[in-house]
Amino acid sequence: AGRVRHLKWDVEYIFWSPDCQENVVMGINGQFPGPTIRAKAGDTLVVELTNKLHTEGVVIHWHGIRQFGTPWADGTASISQCAINPGETFYYRFKLDKAGTYFYHGHYGMQRSAGLYGSLIVEVAEGEKEPFHYDGEMNLLLSDWWHESVHHQEVGLSSNPMRWIGEPQSLLMNGRGQYNCSIAAVHYSNSSSMKCSLRGGEQCAPKIFNVLPNKIYRLRIASSTALASLNLAIGNHKMVVVEADGNYVEPFAVDDMDIYSGESYSVLITTNQDPSNNYWVSVGVRGREPNTPQGLTLLNYKPNSPSKLPASSPPVTPRWNDTAHSKSFTTKILALMGSPKPPKTFHRRITLLNTQNKISGGYTKWAINNVSLTLPPTPYLGSIKYGLRNAFSHVNPPENFPEDYDVMKPPVNPNTTTGNGVYMLGMNTTVDVILQNANALSGNVSEIHPWHLHGHDFWVLGYGEGKFDPQRDESKLNLRNPPLRNTAVIFPYGWTALRFVADNPGVWAFHCHIEPHLHMGMGVVFAEGVQHVNNIPNQALACGLTGNMFKTTPANRTN
Ligand SMILES: O=C1O[C@H]([C@@H](O)CO)C(O)=C1O
């Protein structure tokens, strides 16, 4: 049995300069990013979270933690709980059942974009060993940053015509970026920006990775970006990928790797290069036409000075639309031998068409099988458990999309509807999901969407081009060593096939992890075995129709 780790957190807006420009940022205990949690598998985490925001609710999602037996602690507003009101304290209490690299973040409105996130690292249980060796470890939490407030961003996205948020001003590494200067400037001819005049104490000064020569380091990486797909490279060093989303993978070496929002990885780095030099660590934008400078920091070989710049210019990020490069990386990710295998067959297949749409004469939305998700005021966990039928739509959301839909063209009829129906899954059934990408509203545009599932890991059975065709594609799915993950990307004009077992009583979001896309409706809701869920704290449900339920006579109170 593990330890109980008790954390006391206050969430509040703070002045902070993530990229050397001062902004209002969501901080935890006065810092940005939030504190790094380190615990061991088997530990119970108790986070006593006080909302110190003056006029907004808040929740925190523990990304990648499956919440077996505690679905009320998943931290999804309107799904697992009511938003915590200003001044109130909520106790998240849940078990960290699996070692891995995770992170946590806000899951109400666009609070993740506002800076509400941090790292969550679960080491193997006492006495257990990782299936690889390393001498030291480092942590890299990736994010992207806008100067416009999330309120401004939300109003823009919700307006008619929509005002798109555009590309981020900066990429942040461990919450640090440089907006109008570069640490690589001056020394290298291809750099056009000004040299940063950082003295070292600034909030935006890069966090430098200190290493010793001839050692093996584990670099833990997680991406909390609001929008950007990233490519990470370390000058002159190979990275050996060993973990993805808290699951071990068959090790493979790469020079650079793509990381989508919601994903996490561990890579091993051997510091076997010329020890008199330091080396670049760089991240650049992939998948969207970039308008954001590379994020940079240094791998500092001790005892070199950290201000000694590398001998050559920073690694060049692969061209943003080199999708073949992305696919070649992603399809190398396979489960480590001995990992759990998927069931051989499925009970139900749900095909989810991803389209960009219009609603009510001009508002831009994203829709799944032509339904754009809008969350109800009563959390599903309570409304399903207590059978409050007026809390959400009981029309079953569609299992598929019309046969004649052309995924290579903009929608013929772009009009969509909003909805809040739930895919009710049979307890312990095997569910296949085909995520089907399509053309957006403009011709010749199909975007990347990283989809994240709450409460489960899924097996990624395969990726393909065009429209998924069961006759042609089913036999090609990988049932031998598919990776277990909680986030998987759909490539432009492609499909991704997932399989999971609905073995976790609760209500679980499944959505595009791009924050503005979720805001625009790009998600669905799954539920299974909700009647088996017990001990939901009243506070989790003290709003909407479940809130009314608790306002009856004291004798009727449930606990
Ligand atoms: O949702 C989106 O909207 C814009 C664009 O399609 C319209 O401005 C964009 O790039 C998105 O990802």
Side-chain angles (χ1 to χ4, degrees), residues 157 162-167 227 288 356 364-366 440-442 445 447-449 514 516-517 520 522:
L157 295 168
M162 174 184 67
R163 296 193 201 170
W164 177 241
I165 61 168
E167 297 301 308
L227 175 66
R288 303 179 63 92
Q356 195 182 27
T364 304
K365 298 283 175 189
W366 289 89
L441 282 169
S442 317
V445 177
E447 297 184 3
I448 285 172
H449 303 283
I514 292 176
H517 289 178
M520 294 158 80
M522 199 166 203

Side-chain angles (χ1 to χ4, degrees), residues 76-363:
T76 42
S78 284
I79 300 175
S80 65
Q81 71 171 111
C82 303
I84 307 159
N85 284 321
E88 290 186 347
T89 300
F90 186 83
Y91 287 79
Y92 289 100
R93 187 188 174 90
F94 56 91
K95 196 161 176 165
L96 301 168
D97 61 289
K98 185 155 59 76
T101 305
Y102 304 103
F103 65 115
Y104 62 83
H105 59 81
H107 214 297
Y108 184 39
M110 287 178 47
Q111 289 181 342
R112 176 163 57 92
S113 296
L116 187 53
Y117 48 77
S119 296
L120 168 52
I121 293 170
V122 185
E123 297 169 357
V124 288
E126 204 67 61
E128 304 262 304
K129 278 205 167 70
E130 302 279 11
F132 41 82
H133 163 81
Y134 52 99
D135 303 302
E137 81 170 69
M138 312 181 279
N139 185 42
L140 177 56
L141 177 60
L142 300 170
S143 56
D144 46 7
W145 187 247
W146 279 255
H147 292 160
E148 240 149 31
S149 73
V150 284
H151 298 110
H152 190 126
Q153 294 179 36
E154 283 179 6
V155 172
L157 295 168
S158 308
S159 291
N160 181 6
M162 174 184 67
R163 296 193 201 170
W164 177 241
I165 61 168
E167 297 301 308
Q169 273 66 64
S170 303
L171 301 179
L172 308 183
M173 303 166 91
N174 293 320
R176 292 151 179 269
Q178 294 80 40
Y179 172 58
N180 52 12
C181 66
S182 167
I183 60 169
V186 182
H187 281 249
Y188 311 97
S189 51
N190 64 353
S191 180
S192 56
S193 49
M194 277 176 27
K195 168 111 183 109
C196 300
S197 56
L198 300 169
R199 292 183 311 273
E202 290 86 351
Q203 291 167 344
C204 62
K207 157 109 188 35
I208 286 166
F209 295 113
N210 296 318
V211 294
L212 294 171
N214 297 313
K215 302 269 182 212
I216 300 173
Y217 290 89
R218 175 185 194 165
L219 177 63
R220 296 181 183 266
I221 309 151
S223 175
S224 182
T225 56
L227 175 66
S229 303
L230 299 175
N231 182 271
L232 170 73
I234 303 177
N236 296 46
H237 290 73
K238 292 256 182 228
M239 299 179 283
V240 177
V241 181
V242 291
E243 180 217 339
D245 298 354
N247 295 291
Y248 298 121
V249 302
E250 204 54 50
F252 64 99
V254 287
D255 293 313
D256 66 88
M257 62 189 288
D258 285 340
I259 303 158
Y260 301 97
S261 179
E263 292 186 333
S264 63
Y265 289 98
S266 285
V267 298
L268 300 179
I269 299 153
T270 305
T271 49
N272 55 6
Q273 296 302 301
D274 177 353
S276 67
N277 282 332
N278 290 334
Y279 298 88
W280 292 113
V281 179
S282 74
V283 284
V285 171
R286 302 278 287 130
R288 303 179 63 92
E289 201 157 358
N291 195 15
T292 313
Q294 236 178 1
L296 292 172
T297 188
L298 292 175
L299 192 65
N300 176 202
Y301 272 51
K302 287 291 163 191
N304 299 333
S305 158
S307 52
K308 177 171 186 182
L309 290 181
S312 46
S313 51
V316 176
T317 303
R319 199 164 38 81
W320 70 273
N321 55 0
D322 184 354
T323 325
H325 188 86
S326 303
K327 289 178 183 169
S328 131
F329 171 73
T330 304
T331 52
K332 284 193 185 98
I333 302 166
L334 297 166
L336 182 65
M337 212 203 288
S339 303
K341 288 193 181 211
K344 291 263 173 298
T345 55
F346 59 91
H347 297 102
R348 179 173 174 186
R349 176 187 281 150
I350 302 170
T351 305
L352 301 176
L353 174 69
N354 290 237
T355 54
Q356 195 182 27
N357 296 75
K358 294 274 182 179
I359 193 165
S360 309
Y363 297 91

Side-chain angles (χ1 to χ4, degrees), residues 478-489:
N478 175 14
L479 301 183
R480 202 173 59 81
N481 61 351
L484 267 172
R485 303 203 67 164
N486 61 54
T487 303
V489 73

Side-chain angles (χ1 to χ4, degrees), residues 295-479:
L296 292 172
T297 188
L298 292 175
L299 192 65
N300 176 202
Y301 272 51
K302 287 291 163 191
N304 299 333
S305 158
S307 52
K308 177 171 186 182
L309 290 181
S312 46
S313 51
V316 176
T317 303
R319 199 164 38 81
W320 70 273
N321 55 0
D322 184 354
T323 325
H325 188 86
S326 303
K327 289 178 183 169
S328 131
F329 171 73
T330 304
T331 52
K332 284 193 185 98
I333 302 166
L334 297 166
L336 182 65
M337 212 203 288
S339 303
K341 288 193 181 211
K344 291 263 173 298
T345 55
F346 59 91
H347 297 102
R348 179 173 174 186
R349 176 187 281 150
I350 302 170
T351 305
L352 301 176
L353 174 69
N354 290 237
T355 54
Q356 195 182 27
N357 296 75
K358 294 274 182 179
I359 193 165
S360 309
Y363 297 91
T364 304
K365 298 283 175 189
W366 289 89
I368 305 308
N369 291 347
N370 213 31
V371 180
S372 183
L373 180 66
T374 49
L375 293 170
T378 308
Y380 291 105
L381 186 61
S383 56
I384 297 174
K385 178 166 170 75
Y386 297 111
L388 305 176
R389 292 198 58 88
N390 296 329
F392 63 91
S393 161
H394 286 262
V395 176
N396 290 329
E399 299 275 309
N400 212 327
F401 61 92
E403 191 92 38
D404 61 357
Y405 190 93
D406 186 350
V407 300
M408 305 306 286
K409 300 245 170 68
V412 174
N413 172 6
N415 286 325
T416 193
T417 50
T418 57
N420 58 21
V422 175
Y423 291 91
M424 298 288 182
L425 309 177
M427 191 61 200
N428 292 320
T429 57
T430 301
V431 179
D432 274 21
V433 174
I434 308 296
L435 286 167
Q436 178 66 60
N437 209 342
N439 197 105
L441 282 169
S442 317
N444 298 313
V445 177
S446 182
E447 297 184 3
I448 285 172
H449 303 283
W451 276 75
H452 172 61
L453 178 60
H454 291 232
H456 313 74
D457 287 336
F458 47 65
W459 288 275
V460 186
L461 302 184
Y463 302 87
E465 321 258 322
K467 196 193 279 192
F468 179 78
D469 173 355
Q471 257 68 47
R472 183 192 57 201
D473 298 322
E474 198 168 306
S475 60
K476 291 186 222 141
L477 297 178
N478 175 14
L479 301 183

